Amino acid sequence: MLKVIFSSEDILRTRVAPAADPLWELVLSLHLLQGRSRDPLSTTWRRGVARGLRTDTGPERYRLLLALNPPRGYFPDFLTPSASREGFEAGLEAVRGTPVDMLRRDLTVLAAENPLPPAATALARGEPEVLRDLTDTMARYQELAISPYWARVQAAVEADRARRARAMLDGGAEGLLASLRPTMRWADGVLEVLDYPDTRELHLDGRGLLLVPSFFCSRTPVALLDPSLPPVLVYPVDRLGGLTPEAAGARDGAAAQREALAALLGRTRAAVLQVADEGCTTGEMARRLRISAAAASQHTTVLRNAGLLVSHRDRNTVLHTLTPLGRAVLDA
């Protein structure tokens, strides 16, 4: 179990990341790719990515990257620098600039539990060519495995952020922390990560905590090993039914999108789209638009099938938020 220890100052400084973090998503997707999970929402993605890696100049190209990210246990802190919140390229630049002492320390910890390829020795010395090759491989993997699905990743993270914002408005920072159940438990200034693979404590010491919602975080929240780094806790979000329209059925994705959008036309649905802009439950939507709850549910179903909003159930309520496509339609 991981115990995150908060002071009053830490609670005030706790916040949620503004968007999906590209390097955290990349690294955690590698764990999911190599794991044995039977999660049906990732099966099609895993098969497609594995096939793409095999045909992309052979598996040797990805040997070091895969070895640095085993499906279970420790993986190096330097692969997820805080600079990645500024974008994918900024994150890669930070990886290339990792200090040698951090490379050596992280790889020593990893090598104690996992066999590493010969290139890891040169990486531990901080050889620039090896660091460039590693980040080039990360960029190629991103293009194959993440970029085609990024809109779905962003939609899921945005939906979770709307949920956390509502918890913050209703209960303050402590309400936000309490909303992280069932994978975490908040009580008396301590956030417990219940299924964490080892037992340790993380003292925030007035720095606060950055909560990072992640699509590819499969089950257990993840924290950095080095307590001197800015405190981060990455946690899983609801994947909202999978990664692509094709994953849900055999129909052509573009044809399904056109069919759903054809059913979208009408003033009421346009109004539904507007009230969902900042997150809205079915009941709130019905009250604002003066329609029945059944009608609100029907309209949100059509919008959801068109890829314009996502819905997340929390106990007896369903929260609806816009996808990036839905926001673009609304803006237009």
Side-chain angles (χ1 to χ4, degrees):
M1 179 188 295
L2 171 66
K3 292 185 177 181
V4 185
I5 313 299
F6 289 73
S7 66
S8 298
E9 186 177 3
D10 291 316
I11 294 174
L12 293 175
R13 290 186 173 182
T14 293
R15 67 268 189 219
V16 179
D21 186 298
L23 286 194
W24 273 109
E25 296 296 350
L26 185 152
V27 165
L28 293 173
S29 77
L30 284 162
H31 301 175
L32 191 63
L33 178 68
Q34 299 180 86
R36 297 181 179 178
S37 169
R38 296 181 179 179
D39 178 359
L41 299 185
S42 61
T43 299
T44 302
W45 170 83
R46 181 189 284 133
R47 290 174 180 169
V49 171
R51 184 166 53 250
L53 297 186
R54 285 195 299 269
T55 58
D56 185 37
T57 69
E60 188 63 28
R61 175 176 188 168
Y62 298 94
R63 186 180 179 192
L64 177 59
L65 181 60
L66 293 169
L68 293 176
N69 293 282
R72 293 177 299 279
Y74 173 78
F75 61 94
D77 287 346
F78 78 85
L79 291 175
T80 53
S82 59
S84 68
R85 291 195 291 277
E86 304 300 320
F88 185 60
E89 291 301 328
L92 293 186
E93 185 63 31
V95 171
R96 285 190 289 269
T98 304
V100 174
D101 58 346
M102 185 176 187
L103 290 169
R104 187 179 300 116
R105 180 202 63 202
D106 285 5
L107 292 171
T108 298
V109 174
L110 183 63
E113 300 178 358
N114 301 274
L116 297 179
T121 302
L123 180 63
R125 294 194 296 265
E127 294 186 9
E129 182 178 353
V130 179
L131 280 162
R132 282 196 302 272
D133 286 346
L134 175 61
T135 54
D136 286 349
T137 302
M138 292 169 71
R140 179 57 182 158
Y141 175 82
Q142 170 84 359
E143 182 181 343
L144 284 171
I146 309 294
S147 293
Y149 315 99
W150 191 245
R152 177 65 67 145
V153 171
Q154 289 178 305
V157 168
E158 280 298 317
D160 187 85
R161 278 176 48 79
R163 180 185 177 193
R164 305 308 163 193
R166 181 171 291 268
M168 184 82 169
L169 288 171
D170 290 345
E174 295 209 17
L176 165 64
L177 292 165
S179 77
L180 296 170
R181 59 182 188 277
T183 56
M184 292 176 266
R185 180 172 59 212
W186 168 255
D188 302 323
V190 178
L191 183 66
E192 297 178 339
V193 181
L194 304 177
D195 240 355
Y196 206 72
D198 61 1
T199 301
R200 66 185 179 101
E201 292 185 353
L202 173 59
H203 292 264
L204 300 179
D205 297 327
R207 296 172 293 173
L209 180 67
L210 179 67
L211 295 163
V212 181
S214 168
F215 186 96
F216 284 104
C217 185
S218 61
R219 189 170 63 89
T220 304
V222 182
L224 298 170
L225 181 64
D226 185 352
S228 69
L229 292 172
V232 169
L233 189 63
V234 183
Y235 65 92
V237 302
D238 188 330
R239 292 181 184 158
L240 306 175
L243 281 163
T244 63
E246 290 81 3
R251 293 188 305 170
D252 176 76
Q257 189 84 6
R258 287 194 298 270
E259 178 185 322
L261 286 172
L264 179 65
L265 301 177
R267 289 188 178 182
T268 302
R269 284 178 190 147
V272 168
L273 203 62
Q274 284 186 305
V275 298
D277 189 22
E278 296 181 357
C280 189
T281 67
T282 305
E284 289 169 342
M285 189 174 292
R287 288 192 294 273
R288 291 183 193 181
L289 301 180
R290 298 182 180 180
I291 59 177
S292 68
S297 180
Q298 181 183 14
H299 291 310
T300 56
T301 297
V302 173
L303 290 164
R304 185 167 58 249
N305 290 342
L308 301 181
L309 61 73
V310 293
S311 304
H312 180 87
R313 179 174 292 278
D314 186 7
R315 298 184 179 180
N316 295 325
T317 62
V318 179
L319 180 65
H320 308 285
T321 56
L322 296 183
T323 65
L325 176 60
R327 183 158 285 112
V329 170
L330 186 62
D331 290 343

